[in-house]
Amino acid sequence: AIQLTQSPSSLSASVGDRVTLTCRASQGISSALAWYQQKPGKAPKLLIYDASSLESGVPSRFSGSGSGTDFTLTISSLQPEDFATYYCQQFNSYPTFGGGTKVEIK
Amino acid sequence: QVQLVQSGSELKKPGASVKVSCKASGYTFTTYAMNWVRQAPGQGLEWMGWINTNTGNPTYAQGFTGRFVFSLDTSVSTAYLQISSLKAEDTALYYCARDSPGGTFDIWGQGTMVTVSS
C-alpha cells in the first residue's frame, strides 16, 4: 500500500500567517492527491483534488501543488476558521490517508 | 441538496453485531460508489473499502475482511456497514463518503460513533 507521510504533525500559527503543509508519498502517485480539512466533531471536507484543483466553494487562500511524491497545501493568510486538522489522501491506487497535520492557534 | 445522513450512535457489547446506515439524497444513488472510513478516537482516517452502488460488488481494504460487510438497498438509496463479533478496538467513528468521478471523497456523512464496551 502507498504510504503518505505528513509533516509537521502539528504547528502553531497566528491569524494572517502563511502556512505550508507537506505530504510525501512512498512511491510516485502522479497528481492523484487530495487534501481534506477536519474540524473537531465534524466530518472531513474536501479542499483540493488532483493535487492542485480547488473544490467548488473553497476559499482561494487554499492552494495545492506538487506531483510524483511531494505535495504541499498552502494557506496564504490563515483565518480563525482554518484552525483544524488537515489530511492528504492518495487515490492512485487503493486510497490511503496521511496521518494529519493539526493547525493550532499560537 | 446532496447529502449523506447516517444512523445514530451505537453502544454494543463485545461479540455483538452492529449495522450502520448511510442514506443518500439529492443525487442518483447508483451513479457514485460509496466508501467507508474509520476514525478511532483521537486518531486519523482509515479507508475501509468501497461498494459499487451499481453492481453491489464490495471491495475491502486490508484489515477489514471477514467481520465487515458492505451492502446496499438501492430502493431507499442507502448503504450499510455491518460489523460482526465486535471488539473493543472497533470503537470508532464510522463515516460513509461518496466517491467522486475523480476518485476523491466529495460528500461525507456526519459519522456514526460505535462504542464497544462491556
Side-chain angles (χ1 to χ4, degrees), chain A residues 34 36 38 42-44 87 91 95 97, chain B residues 39 44 47 95 102 104-105 108-109:
Chain A
Y36 298 85
Q38 187 179 34
K42 299 293 186 182
Y87 293 95
F91 48 97
F97 291 91
Chain B
Q39 187 168 37
W47 180 69
Y95 291 102
T104 55
F105 301 167
W108 293 66

Side-chain angles (χ1 to χ4, degrees), chain B residues 5-95:
Chain B
V5 178
Q6 297 185 225
S7 49
S9 298
E10 301 270 8
L11 174 60
K12 296 290 184 180
K13 294 189 184 303
S17 295
V18 68
K19 193 170 187 177
V20 175
S21 67
C22 169
K23 183 173 177 58
S25 61
Y27 71 97
T28 302
F29 181 67
T30 52
T31 301
Y32 302 87
M34 192 69 74
N35 295 273
W36 289 94
V37 176
R38 182 171 76 178
Q39 187 168 37
Q43 301 301 307
L45 304 169
E46 188 175 16
W47 180 69
M48 301 173 65
W50 66 284
I51 184 165
N52 184 318
T53 54
N54 203 32
T55 65
N57 185 47
T59 298
Y60 300 98
Q62 272 193 330
F64 294 99
T65 55
R67 298 188 299 115
F68 301 83
V69 177
F70 307 148
S71 61
L72 305 170
D73 184 342
T74 56
S75 69
V76 289
S77 300
T78 300
Y80 300 95
L81 163 66
Q82 183 162 359
I83 311 171
S84 58
S85 302
L86 283 162
K87 308 174 183 181
E89 49 264 43
D90 294 323
T91 294
L93 253 177
Y94 291 87
Y95 291 102

